[in-house]
Amino acid sequence: MLKEETVSHNHNCEECPIRHRAVCARCETDELERLEEIKYYRSFEAGQTVIWSGDKMDFVGSVVSGIATLTQTMEDGRTQMVGLLLPSDFVGRPGREGSAYDVVATTDLVMCCFRKKPFEQMMERTPHIAQRLLEMTLDELDAAREWMLVLGRKTAREKIASLLSIIARRDASLNLRPTQGALVFDLPLTREAMADYLGLTLETVSRQISALKRDGVIHLEGKRHVTVPDFTRLMEEAGDDADGGMLA
Amino acid sequence: MLKEETVSHNHNCEECPIRHRAVCARCETDELERLEEIKYYRSFEAGQTVIWSGDKMDFVGSVVSGIATLTQTMEDGRTQMVGLLLPSDFVGRPGREGSAYDVVATTDLVMCCFRKKPFEQMMERTPHIAQRLLEMTLDELDAAREWMLVLGRKTAREKIASLLSIIARRDASLNLRPTQGALVFDLPLTREAMADYLGLTLETVSRQISALKRDGVIHLEGKRHVTVPDFTRLMEEAGDDADGGMLA
DNA sequence: TCGCGCGCTTGATCTGGGTCAAGGATGACC
DNA sequence: GGTCATCCTTGACCCAGATCAAGCGCGCGA
């Protein structure tokens, strides 16, 4: 099967693409040097599982490139995605042995990993890291709570529109593309993964995407390439205040 | 209308009932003394709003006694509860001006508050506070993600059972009541509040509670007083692994 | 003691999204 | 170029939970 590969040649932190957004964002040069000593890269192919729920995790790390998902599964197979990990997002929890979720690479994925023990020790000595991690965790908590509203109270159509607007927004902020005019991006998820994120079935996802296309809210090229001619319209379809800060 | 009251006589941190679970759990005596200088108590009556979403928050704090809820509301009135605040839980976010949610007291409530600015400054100088806050935030994130599974994938009956088991568990851990045998507790929420937590209507909540009663999973005295004769049975009804750690 | 309101229950009916089922498109590999 | 698998779409039907509606019971204020 697909074999995971540990990349040996260390990249330089200073020119890391996620340098300014990851856990290490606030670190000084000397702190970076110490981090560099305990870091290593790992690559995963699309579809590979990074960690299984319950497995012992001996590392924490950041997504450098690619996309991963955090999912929870019930005994009977029902699954719910509980997080979408984009570049700069943090994986793992200091101070906990096992992973609470399945982490799966949905695209080819590169992660910058730190061995957990040394990282935890560094955290104690390096407030910049703990501060940044707290800030990131609070942001994730906000995102999770926003998602609770989506899951609990929105219609299927609103759910799809919400997901599209989140992906569009994240994509735009990552690529620093100007927001005016049409937004264009690729869906990083299959219909099934979207369904798992939204608490729907893949059939409903497909139908609602078709409906949004029919109504001119989005435009599709192939199955994955999306154009949003009017972002405000999409926000309305999502049931959000149309003012919601475009610049995260 | 109900008037909020600022309690002036400061209680002593050392003998505070939430001393060992709140943000200050890790603080040394001297750190507590400094906290004590910037702290004050506020009381709210059942039904009062502590903060409105969007309002400027000039404090953060801990729930000392009573219960509050965190809710989000859409323009058309649909509302979703995104958090249940029990004694020792933290309210507010360092490093952010406004509140993202409505915070409402559902029972009479006492909070231990800190002015935000001084608290933020103390956090920088007192790693014990930041560490504890990170730990608590990570726990809340786990809870939010567990709730995403409930909202996205569980049936109405499973949702009710999940809520009951959470309340039972929290109640048991708070009151250090032994878990063996029947669990007994009072529901701190109206049917409507439960519906808002679970992404259901209050009618469905009522019907499912009646059904669980009819099936002997729970026993009701009045509308709020619940007896759970067999906790394992309740966990099964919730769709959870029956092993899920009883001792949080 | 009465009456009123709030929180709750229960019934009847409707409907959004799930389920089951049948293909269609695309791309990898032989 | 054909086969196969994966991902996606669309249709027909069904059901869990929403919606609409009526009424109960308890606590509180007059």
Side-chain angles (χ1 to χ4, degrees):
Chain A
M1 250 241 62
L2 308 170
K3 186 61 186 28
E4 175 227 329
E5 175 197 351
T6 299
V7 182
S8 51
H9 66 286
N10 273 16
H11 304 270
N12 186 336
C13 285
E14 296 286 359
E15 51 204 37
C16 175
I18 57 164
R19 166 82 180 87
H20 54 300
R21 301 196 63 191
V23 241
C24 48
R26 289 236 232 291
C27 288
E28 309 288 350
T29 308
D30 60 321
E31 293 167 343
L32 276 188
E33 277 165 17
R34 260 175 293 149
L35 268 181
E36 212 138 5
E37 283 165 25
I38 62 168
K39 100 182 181 198
Y40 57 100
Y41 290 89
R42 291 175 71 182
S43 312
F44 300 86
E45 289 180 45
Q48 267 188 294
T49 296
V50 176
I51 320 140
W52 293 97
S53 166
D55 274 10
K56 196 181 156 210
M57 262 188 94
D58 50 5
F59 68 96
V60 297
S62 304
V63 174
V64 176
S65 66
I67 290 174
T69 61
L70 238 47
T71 57
Q72 247 179 328
T73 305
M74 296 169 66
E75 301 97 279
D76 62 6
R78 282 177 281 175
T79 77
Q80 175 66 49
M81 197 184 298
V82 296
L84 192 58
L85 300 170
L86 302 190
S88 83
D89 284 341
F90 188 77
V91 180
R93 170 165 176 172
R96 177 160 300 181
E97 270 293 293
S99 169
Y101 316 102
D102 294 329
V103 182
V104 179
T106 58
T107 65
D108 287 349
L109 182 74
V110 177
M111 289 194 52
C112 170
C113 302
F114 308 102
R115 280 178 300 122
K116 189 145 77 60
K117 270 278 170 51
F119 184 82
E120 282 166 3
Q121 285 161 2
M122 255 204 87
M123 256 184 59
E124 278 174 29
R125 280 182 286 111
T126 317
H128 282 158
I129 295 177
Q131 280 166 20
R132 176 64 185 145
L133 187 57
L134 175 58
E135 187 177 49
M136 290 173 74
T137 307
L138 285 163
D139 284 343
E140 270 188 279
L141 184 57
D142 280 345
R145 284 174 166 162
E146 191 183 323
W147 207 250
M148 286 173 66
L149 176 65
V150 172
L151 289 173
R153 292 304 186 190
K154 290 195 176 177
T155 64
R157 170 183 264 244
E158 289 170 333
K159 285 178 174 182
I160 297 288
S162 298
L163 179 57
L164 292 176
S165 83
I166 281 188
I167 294 174
R169 196 158 30 214
R170 287 254 221 160
D171 193 75
S173 94
L174 215 66
N175 298 308
L176 303 169
R177 219 173 285 154
T179 290
Q180 69 234 9
L183 282 174
V184 181
F185 58 91
D186 283 307
L187 286 174
L189 301 173
T190 65
R191 301 290 187 261
E192 188 180 20
M194 289 189 245
D196 284 344
Y197 204 170
L198 296 165
L200 298 171
T201 58
L202 70 90
E203 292 94 329
T204 299
V205 170
S206 182
R207 274 188 259 270
Q208 295 299 335
I209 289 181
S210 299
L212 289 175
K213 184 172 66 173
R214 191 177 340 106
D215 300 345
V217 180
I218 58 172
H219 202 276
L220 274 188
E221 249 170 275
K223 316 278 180 202
R224 300 292 194 91
H225 195 73
V226 181
T227 304
V228 179
D230 178 0
F231 191 76
T232 309
R233 173 80 193 284
L234 182 64
M235 295 281 284
E236 283 167 16
E237 291 288 354
D240 293 340
D241 267 335
D243 61 356
M246 198 42 229
L247 314 163
Chain B
M1 248 239 63
L2 308 172
K3 184 62 182 32
E4 174 226 329
E5 176 198 348
T6 299
V7 182
S8 51
H9 65 288
N10 273 19
H11 303 269
N12 186 336
C13 286
E14 295 287 1
E15 51 204 37
C16 176
I18 57 165
R19 166 79 179 87
H20 54 301
R21 301 196 63 192
V23 242
C24 48
R26 288 236 234 290
C27 288
E28 309 289 350
T29 308
D30 60 324
E31 292 166 342
L32 275 188
E33 277 165 18
R34 261 175 292 149
L35 268 181
E36 211 137 8
E37 283 164 23
I38 60 168
K39 101 181 180 199
Y40 57 99
Y41 290 90
R42 291 174 73 183
S43 313
F44 301 86
E45 288 180 45
Q48 268 189 295
T49 296
V50 177
I51 321 140
W52 294 98
S53 166
D55 274 10
K56 199 183 152 207
M57 262 188 94
D58 49 6
F59 68 96
V60 297
S62 304
V63 174
V64 176
S65 66
I67 290 174
T69 61
L70 239 48
T71 56
Q72 248 179 329
T73 305
M74 296 170 66
E75 302 98 276
D76 63 7
R78 281 177 281 175
T79 76
Q80 175 66 49
M81 198 183 298
V82 297
L84 191 57
L85 300 170
L86 302 189
S88 82
D89 283 342
F90 189 77
V91 181
R93 170 163 177 172
R96 175 161 300 179
E97 270 292 294
S99 168
Y101 316 101
D102 294 330
V103 181
V104 179
T106 58
T107 65
D108 288 349
L109 183 72
V110 177
M111 290 193 54
C112 171
C113 302
F114 308 102
R115 280 178 299 122
K116 189 143 76 64
K117 269 277 170 49
F119 183 83
E120 283 166 3
Q121 286 160 1
M122 255 203 86
M123 256 183 59
E124 278 173 32
R125 280 182 288 112
T126 318
H128 282 157
I129 296 177
Q131 280 165 19
R132 176 65 186 145
L133 187 56
L134 174 58
E135 188 178 46
M136 291 173 74
T137 307
L138 285 163
D139 284 343
E140 271 188 278
L141 184 57
D142 280 344
R145 284 172 167 164
E146 191 183 325
W147 208 249
M148 286 173 67
L149 177 65
V150 173
L151 290 173
R153 292 303 185 191
K154 291 195 177 179
T155 64
R157 171 183 263 243
E158 289 170 334
K159 285 178 175 182
I160 297 288
S162 298
L163 180 57
L164 292 176
S165 84
I166 282 187
I167 293 173
R169 195 156 33 211
R170 288 253 223 162
D171 193 75
S173 94
L174 214 67
N175 298 308
L176 303 169
R177 219 173 287 155
T179 290
Q180 70 234 9
L183 283 173
V184 181
F185 58 91
D186 282 309
L187 286 173
L189 301 173
T190 65
R191 301 291 188 259
E192 188 180 22
M194 289 188 246
D196 283 343
Y197 205 171
L198 297 165
L200 297 170
T201 59
L202 69 91
E203 293 95 328
T204 299
V205 169
S206 182
R207 273 188 258 270
Q208 295 299 335
I209 289 182
S210 299
L212 289 175
K213 184 171 66 172
R214 191 177 340 105
D215 299 344
V217 180
I218 58 172
H219 203 274
L220 273 187
E221 247 170 278
K223 315 280 180 204
R224 300 291 193 91
H225 195 73
V226 181
T227 304
V228 179
D230 177 1
F231 191 76
T232 309
R233 172 80 193 284
L234 183 64
M235 295 280 284
E236 283 168 15
E237 291 288 354
D240 292 339
D241 267 336
D243 60 355
M246 198 41 228
L247 314 164

